Amino acid sequence: KIENYYQKNTLNEWIGLLEKVEKSEKYKAVVIRIDSPGGTPGASQELYNSILRIKKTGKKVIISMGDVCASGGYYIASAGDLILANPSTLTGSIGVIMSYPVIEKLEKTLGVDMVTIKSNQHKDIGSMHRVPTIEEKEIFKGIIKDTYSQFVKDISKGRKMSEEEMYKLADGRIYTGNSALKNGLVDKLG
């Protein structure tokens, strides 16, 4: 047991803690407990890369999954040397999603007009005040596809699976610890 960190800590604090472990000679291994439904792609990728830097020092990284270790949580976990899950842990959910409300009709019903002044064509992309254009939807699809391919590439490396094998598992579904073990997403139950 090196330190206890709880969910109240920011990404920078987590990165700082992992850098401390990476640079210190006193730590020979680290156990990271993840209980998270996921998060943003950038934060997940930063934590994943921090774990890889720890491993480059020769230290072992053991991941202990809690109730939920899904999506970005699984992304982070896949960098570990050993992943432990409970039989009923909910994990996987490998994929990328973007959603936001569109309240244009509600505004019209209420008699609210939204005025947008912008510097460029796409500056208000994702605005909740109007339905996205076909072109904007294609831009979003490109972002999702790129982020998803980075996710799958990284977890494939971590799990020592081909990307082809991982894409079969990475369809957004949630796995229990039992099924994750059968599919090679975790190493042991316990």
Side-chain angles (χ1 to χ4, degrees), residues 12 17 33 43 63-64 69-70 84 99-100 112 142 147 158 188:
N12 287 338
L17 175 65
R33 177 80 166 173
I63 304 296
S64 171
C69 183
L84 301 164
S99 61
Y100 61 91
V112 175
T147 306
K188 291 185 179 184

Side-chain angles (χ1 to χ4, degrees), residues 94-120:
I94 302 164
V96 181
I97 187 171
M98 174 187 277
S99 61
Y100 61 91
V102 176
I103 61 170
E104 182 179 31
K105 288 180 186 176
L106 176 62
E107 289 174 334
K108 286 184 177 159
T109 300
L110 296 174
V112 175
D113 291 322
M114 185 68 184
V115 176
T116 302
I117 301 166
K118 55 189 179 176
S119 59
N120 298 80

Side-chain angles (χ1 to χ4, degrees), residues 153-186:
K153 182 178 181 180
D154 285 347
I155 61 175
S156 296
K157 283 186 214 168
R159 298 309 300 155
K160 296 174 180 60
M161 284 185 190
S162 72
E163 287 182 39
E164 184 179 301
E165 289 174 292
M166 189 55 70
Y167 273 113
K168 290 177 184 173
L169 298 170
D171 61 3
R173 82 179 76 184
I174 297 169
Y175 298 90
T176 63
N178 279 334
S179 60
L181 179 65
K182 290 175 188 166
N183 285 291
L185 297 174
V186 302

Side-chain angles (χ1 to χ4, degrees), residues 15 36 43 58 69 98 110 136 140 145 148 150 153 175 185:
I15 299 292
S36 171
C69 183
M98 174 187 277
L110 296 174
E136 289 170 336
F140 283 140
K145 185 176 179 182
Y148 177 58
Q150 292 174 50
K153 182 178 181 180
Y175 298 90
L185 297 174

